[in-house]
Amino acid sequence: MIKKTIIASAIVALVMGCSVKEAEQITKSEGSAFGKHGEIQVQTETKNGQLVDISVLKQNENKVLAASVFTEMKDAMIANNSTEVDGISGATITSGAFKEAVESSLAAAGVTLVAGMAKSSDKSKDLLATEQNFDVVVIGSGGAGFSAAITAKNAGANVVIIEKMPTVGGNSLITGGQMNVPGNWVQKKMGIEDDIDLFVKDTLKGGDYLGDPEMVQILAEQALPAAEWLRDYIKVDFYKDQLFQFGGHSVKRALIPRNHTGAEWISKFMAKTDELQIPIHTRTTATALIKDQNGRVIGVEAEKNGRKIIYNAERGVIMATGGFGANVAMRTKYVPELDSRYGTTNARGIMGDGIVMAEKLNAKTHNMESIQTYPICHIDTGVISLIADSRFFGAIVVNKEGHRFVEELERRDVISRAILAQTDQQAYVLWGGEIEDVAGVVGVHKDEFGELNRKGMMYKADSIEELAGKFGIDEKALMAQVGRVNQFAKAGDDKEFNHRGGLKTIMKPPFYMLVAKPSVHHTMGGLMTDTHTRVLDTEGKVIAGLYAAGEVTGMTHGSNRLGGNAITDITVFGRIAGKEAAAQ
């Protein structure tokens, strides 16, 4: 729906201090387009071919990622009197939809923006001093970076976070946000027995015993204190009566944040950094680490808006830049198979910058050839299908021929390889009302459902036969498979794949099915660190002043990271890095 209004009231003109003639020239109109999470509706105001203002009337985009779209893009359009401005990296779909909505509004009003009428803008207010002085400099604004910065600040350090992207959050923002915590409060409420030793056993086994046992022990021991810190201090809202059991785990132990997304805790991290007055310098790309004559890291060389900025770090630099899953050249260097044919679940900025910078200081890397794919992802964008978390509640995975071919709660790498061996290298996730009533994934991720449904990648139907027809799956074989699953579920014994979480019946409509395939997800390799998160050089010696936490490191997960362990990892070791750096 698009509207157009001409303000022509003499009263309005008098109030605004302008003539009726001038007021008559102001045109308001509305336009809309579909973004990542539904309709974006805007209103534009133009005057004599000049874009005066853009108001966002309706949108349901990710509030962290979309913030720069509705501020920076809007300001750029008005300043340049054009919709031909750069989108926000990491928010491509939202950027394109915002531009389309503005253009549809202008078209409805019959307005053509007049070239050459760009407004001059004073960028001096955006310029940072070319030398910045802090106690601790944190590179990267994902969960590890926020955990480190907040901990260092509370330990008395003057801290800054620098982030190359226009928005914060990194991979942490776009995950489901679940966090494995042995002995957590929800487990106790649900009567689930779990302990640190079992978590350690699962994690080491899940990584083929290639993870560092000492690091895994710290991960397990500090998981509960880290989760309580997130809950009580950062104010992350975890569901009080739900847990996930990811593949490779013996029991349900993953806490679930509100709305099943990392946006819950990244937004709470942002609120806490505001409260603590920790500056975050976005669009600021770290280019090199600075050492003194004794080899100690004392700062970071960075670039912002084409200008070089030096960040002096009195106590230390914390590398929290993530892995290299989005860097095709870097990942194929270690695993040639993972070329451009594979999508990635990673945020666009996850390019291995921190690893490369540290290597120039002779830092040692470890386990670089261990790169994980996530099995259930969108077949076009490569991003994780959060709606397919139904798999953790009993949904089944079948192939084009209608057969199950792997245990749905197997390790991610095992499921991924199994899917790639199927027809079209794709799989189909199927569940019914019994699972949806418990999991509620369609309700929680209704925007994802809308997007997938519009693209023909997910359907809801009153019969399984209808779903089989929509995807061209062998109907007879699929119905026979579902019949066996229902028998196994009722008997509590999966005779085909020994489903460790227990199968659920698929008998109650409506039924849901989506198509998915694997994408490059997590790089288990990275910088070698000690138990204090200090980065080590190629001789095993500490590089003084340099710390690292999160996916930029390579010591914890071995050949394969179990689902839900990343959030635990980045929070636990992010806090350790912040404490260690501040103490210097």
Side-chain angles (χ1 to χ4, degrees):
M1 181 64 183
I2 301 174
K3 304 175 184 177
K4 174 181 176 182
T5 306
I6 304 296
I7 303 175
S9 167
I11 297 176
V12 173
L14 290 171
V15 170
M16 296 178 66
C18 61
S19 69
V20 174
K21 181 178 179 181
E22 289 175 324
E24 287 178 343
Q25 296 171 345
I26 299 176
T27 301
K28 292 183 179 181
S29 64
E30 294 180 13
S32 64
F34 275 99
K36 177 74 173 176
H37 298 289
E39 186 182 38
I40 297 175
Q41 193 174 81
V42 303
Q43 176 180 271
T44 59
E45 293 186 31
T46 55
K47 178 179 178 182
N48 295 334
Q50 177 71 48
L51 187 56
V52 177
D53 194 18
I54 305 169
S55 301
V56 179
L57 305 179
K58 175 185 176 183
Q59 61 92 9
N60 194 36
E61 302 299 279
N62 183 301
K63 63 182 179 180
V64 180
L65 284 175
S68 294
V69 174
F70 301 131
T71 53
E72 294 184 26
M73 277 191 73
K74 167 188 168 179
D75 292 346
M77 286 180 179
I78 294 172
N80 293 285
N81 201 44
S82 172
T83 60
E84 295 302 320
V85 301
D86 291 338
I88 302 300
S89 182
T92 306
I93 295 176
T94 303
S95 298
F98 179 60
K99 174 184 174 182
E100 184 181 342
V102 172
E103 289 175 342
S104 71
S105 173
L106 296 171
V111 172
T112 301
L113 299 181
V114 179
M117 292 187 67
K119 301 176 182 177
S120 62
S121 59
D122 181 10
K123 291 188 176 293
S124 60
K125 64 180 181 180
D126 297 325
L127 296 181
L128 289 171
T130 55
E131 189 165 352
Q132 301 275 321
N133 297 308
F134 292 92
D135 294 325
V136 176
V137 177
V138 178
I139 310 176
S141 67
F146 274 117
S147 295
I150 292 169
T151 302
K153 179 72 173 184
N154 285 331
N158 183 22
V159 184
V160 66
I161 300 173
I162 63 175
E163 168 60 56
K164 71 175 182 179
M165 303 299 285
T167 55
V168 303
N171 277 348
S172 304
L173 177 64
I174 57 178
T175 68
Q178 295 85 11
M179 178 182 187
N180 286 318
V181 181
N184 67 68
W185 57 93
V186 182
Q187 283 182 323
K188 292 178 180 179
K189 181 179 179 180
M190 297 174 67
I192 297 172
E193 294 186 8
D194 192 14
D195 57 36
I196 288 171
D197 289 343
L198 184 58
F199 178 74
V200 169
K201 180 180 177 181
D202 286 346
T203 299
L204 287 174
K205 180 181 178 182
D208 295 319
Y209 300 99
L210 296 177
D212 184 274
E214 198 171 6
M215 290 292 196
V216 175
Q217 188 69 35
I218 291 171
L219 180 76
E221 291 175 352
Q222 294 300 314
L224 183 57
E228 291 172 336
W229 178 74
L230 287 171
R231 180 194 65 187
D232 301 333
Y233 181 64
I234 305 300
K235 304 299 182 184
V236 173
D237 185 6
F238 292 108
Y239 287 106
K240 296 177 176 58
D241 56 0
Q242 289 187 46
L243 292 170
F244 269 16
Q245 181 177 355
F246 286 99
H249 291 276
S250 298
V251 297
K252 291 183 177 182
R253 59 165 63 107
L255 297 167
I256 307 171
R258 184 172 60 87
N259 291 330
H260 298 239
T261 171
E264 161 64 15
W265 57 300
I266 290 297
S267 63
K268 297 297 174 62
F269 271 141
M270 291 177 66
K272 184 59 69 173
T273 55
D274 285 344
E275 176 189 323
L276 297 175
Q277 298 183 318
I278 299 172
I280 303 174
H281 295 175
T282 56
R283 297 186 184 275
T284 304
T285 303
T287 55
L289 297 168
I290 304 170
K291 296 192 301 182
D292 65 12
Q293 59 186 5
N294 298 315
R296 178 183 179 84
V297 174
I298 58 171
V300 179
E301 183 178 305
E303 184 178 288
K304 183 180 179 73
N305 294 328
R307 298 171 65 247
K308 179 179 175 181
I309 301 174
I310 299 298
Y311 287 86
N312 295 313
E314 179 70 21
R315 303 187 193 179
V317 172
I318 300 174
M319 194 72 74
T321 51
F324 56 95
N327 188 330
V328 177
M330 191 169 181
R331 73 194 194 207
T332 54
K333 173 183 176 181
Y334 299 103
V335 183
E337 174 192 352
L338 300 178
D339 56 24
S340 58
R341 294 172 299 172
Y342 285 75
T344 180
T345 66
N346 285 218
R348 184 170 300 186
I350 309 301
M351 298 291 286
D353 312 34
I355 296 172
V356 173
M357 274 188 286
E359 282 185 311
K360 291 179 180 178
L361 270 61
N362 208 33
K364 184 176 178 60
T365 58
H366 178 69
N367 198 30
M368 296 293 283
E369 70 284 351
S370 294
I371 300 176
Q372 181 186 76
T373 56
Y374 192 87
I376 310 296
C377 302
H378 294 190
I379 62 173
D380 59 346
T381 64
V383 303
I384 290 178
S385 178
L386 296 178
I387 207 168
D389 283 349
S390 57
R391 178 168 59 97
F392 305 116
F393 294 88
I396 64 171
V397 177
V398 300
N399 57 22
K400 195 81 168 180
E401 289 72 35
H403 302 300
R404 289 174 71 206
F405 53 89
V406 68
E407 187 216 338
E408 289 79 0
L409 291 185
E410 250 291 5
R411 289 174 15 171
R412 290 172 172 177
D413 56 339
V414 174
I415 300 174
S416 294
R417 284 195 296 269
I419 291 174
L420 292 176
Q422 306 307 309
T423 301
D424 299 329
Q425 298 186 322
Q426 295 179 167
Y428 304 84
V429 185
L430 171 67
W431 69 102
E434 303 96 329
I435 293 172
E436 182 59 28
D437 289 345
V438 175
V441 290
V442 178
V444 171
H445 302 298
K446 57 182 180 296
D447 296 322
E448 183 183 348
F449 172 76
E451 177 194 2
L452 291 176
N453 185 251
R454 287 193 300 273
K455 294 179 177 179
M457 299 176 191
M458 181 174 181
Y459 295 103
K460 171 184 177 182
D462 290 327
S463 74
I464 296 171
E465 292 91 338
E466 183 179 348
L467 292 174
K470 286 182 178 295
F471 283 112
I473 295 173
D474 187 313
E475 179 184 318
K476 184 178 179 181
L478 179 60
M479 295 308 296
Q481 176 68 82
V482 171
R484 290 193 298 276
V485 166
N486 290 337
Q487 290 177 357
F488 299 155
K490 291 173 183 178
D493 183 13
D494 176 12
K495 293 184 181 299
E496 288 183 320
F497 293 99
N498 194 28
H499 192 287
R500 70 197 70 191
L503 290 170
K504 303 295 186 295
T505 59
I506 307 176
M507 302 173 66
K508 179 182 176 181
F511 302 99
Y512 306 89
M513 180 177 276
L514 62 86
V515 60
K517 71 178 188 179
S519 283
V520 172
H521 183 50
H522 192 94
T523 50
M524 279 72 69
L527 301 176
M528 181 171 278
T529 55
D530 64 11
T531 56
H532 299 279
T533 70
R534 298 176 297 191
V535 177
L536 306 179
D537 66 16
T538 53
E539 296 181 355
K541 297 178 181 178
V542 169
I543 299 177
L546 183 61
Y547 305 83
E551 197 176 347
V552 72
T553 65
M555 301 298 294
T556 306
H557 303 292
S559 63
N560 173 69
R561 178 181 63 79
L562 295 186
N565 276 3
I567 302 301
T568 315
D569 177 18
I570 61 183
T571 310
V572 165
F573 289 106
R575 294 177 75 206
I576 292 173
K579 179 181 178 181
E580 292 286 339
Q584 300 308 305

